[in-house]
Amino acid sequence: MFRRQFLIGAGAALLTAGLTEGCGGSPTSPGGGGGTPPPQPNPQPPPTPPPSTPASLRITRILAFGDSMTAGTTSPPFSLRALDAGLAQSYPFKLQTLLSSRYSSQTVSVFNAGFAGRKAFEDRSRLARSIADSSPELVILLEGANDLNSIVGPAVNAAIDATVAAMEDMVRDTAARNIPIMVATLPPQRLGGPKAGGVDYLGKYNNDLKTMALKKGAMLVDLNAQFPVALIGQDGLHPSELGYQTFADIVFDAIKTHYEIPPSTASR
């Protein structure tokens, strides 16, 4: 009898221990699965992208031609100078900086042929000389402000027509040399400024200039439409240095649109 009770008690203890292990699990294995989970494979690093090719341009020599708004000055120089990017405040100099920064794998040259005080009707031969001196692959033409500022008398429309015709002559001469040309409209003038004599004529001149440029197949850069009058200086005509930077930004965008080779196709 004593042996039977001992066996029953031992069996109950073993059953209790088994139930405790099955329900509570191991203190280090909360799920009751027991053991150490299998090691996870190390994640593979992403593939290395192919080296990128910087953007480039189909042209590397640019001639900026015009008057003081190209030269970056407000008075004529004492003598002619060799063609380079010009004064640091000029838009061609700032354009050179923008182009060199973006197209770092190339040497892009901008030549400043701005000459303060010049008029479109007298600059046809000077443009030809500047082209011969710089051998450009693109000409940017911004001129006509001095012509408009010198209009006197009632024959306003005839004077504007003559200025547009002078610009057309330069566009035609450049195209005859198989050189692309960008024609820029004139920026606004500040009413009441001492050099804002053409403020009343800008609308007709710029409209007629755009018509001529499109007719002759020239590229058009509409500075006037993108340039706030707040960036015109106290004389009413010339931009501030920030204005010249805005000139450069606008022209840079036009060059990029027409001539940039995207990085993905630059090496083809």
Side-chain angles (χ1 to χ4, degrees):
M1 183 66 178
F2 175 80
R3 179 178 177 82
R4 182 179 178 187
Q5 290 176 344
F6 175 81
L7 291 174
I8 292 173
L14 290 173
L15 178 61
T16 302
L19 290 173
T20 302
E21 283 188 358
C23 296
S26 168
T28 58
S29 299
T36 303
Q40 298 296 317
N42 293 328
Q44 295 297 315
T48 303
S52 61
T53 304
S56 60
L57 283 180
R58 294 196 300 272
I59 58 172
T60 58
R61 298 176 66 83
I62 300 167
L63 175 66
F65 188 87
D67 50 32
S68 60
M69 282 191 281
T70 296
T73 63
T74 56
S75 61
F78 290 107
S79 61
L80 294 176
R81 55 172 176 75
L83 286 181
D84 56 20
L87 299 172
Q89 69 265 27
S90 69
Y91 95 79
F93 188 97
K94 297 178 185 300
L95 177 62
Q96 170 85 76
T97 300
L98 291 170
L99 293 170
S100 297
S101 176
R102 181 167 179 83
Y103 307 109
S104 56
S105 65
Q106 297 174 283
T107 300
V108 182
S109 300
V110 179
F111 303 101
N112 187 334
F115 196 105
R118 299 290 290 187
K119 298 175 182 177
F121 81 86
E122 63 185 354
D123 257 358
R124 187 175 182 180
S125 61
R126 187 171 72 88
L127 174 58
R129 292 194 302 271
S130 297
I131 289 174
D133 289 343
S134 60
S135 301
E137 297 166 282
L138 172 68
V139 171
I140 304 165
L141 181 60
L142 170 64
E143 201 164 15
N146 292 316
D147 302 74
L148 300 186
N149 284 358
S150 64
I151 292 177
V152 293
V156 170
N157 288 341
I160 294 174
D161 291 345
T163 305
V164 174
M167 296 288 282
E168 183 175 352
D169 287 340
M170 289 189 278
V171 170
R172 187 187 304 111
D173 291 348
T174 304
R177 294 174 169 85
N178 294 317
I179 301 171
I181 186 166
M182 284 185 175
V183 176
T185 59
L186 292 176
Q189 295 183 12
R190 186 187 293 278
L191 184 65
K195 294 187 177 181
V199 66
D200 293 330
Y201 315 132
L202 274 176
K204 175 173 171 53
Y205 174 74
N206 281 334
N207 286 336
D208 291 354
L209 189 71
K210 288 188 281 188
T211 299
M212 180 276 294
L214 294 174
K215 182 178 69 174
K216 293 298 178 183
M219 291 170 278
L220 180 70
V221 182
D222 197 352
L223 285 179
N224 186 276
Q226 304 177 66
F227 195 88
V229 72
L231 295 180
I232 296 296
Q234 294 181 5
D235 68 2
L237 174 64
H238 296 95
S240 62
E241 185 164 357
L242 179 57
Y244 282 129
Q245 182 65 59
T246 302
F247 271 17
D249 292 340
I250 294 170
V251 175
F252 171 76
D253 286 342
I255 292 173
K256 179 181 173 183
T257 297
H258 286 282
Y259 290 105
E260 180 170 285
I261 303 172
S264 59
T265 60
S267 59
R268 291 182 184 176

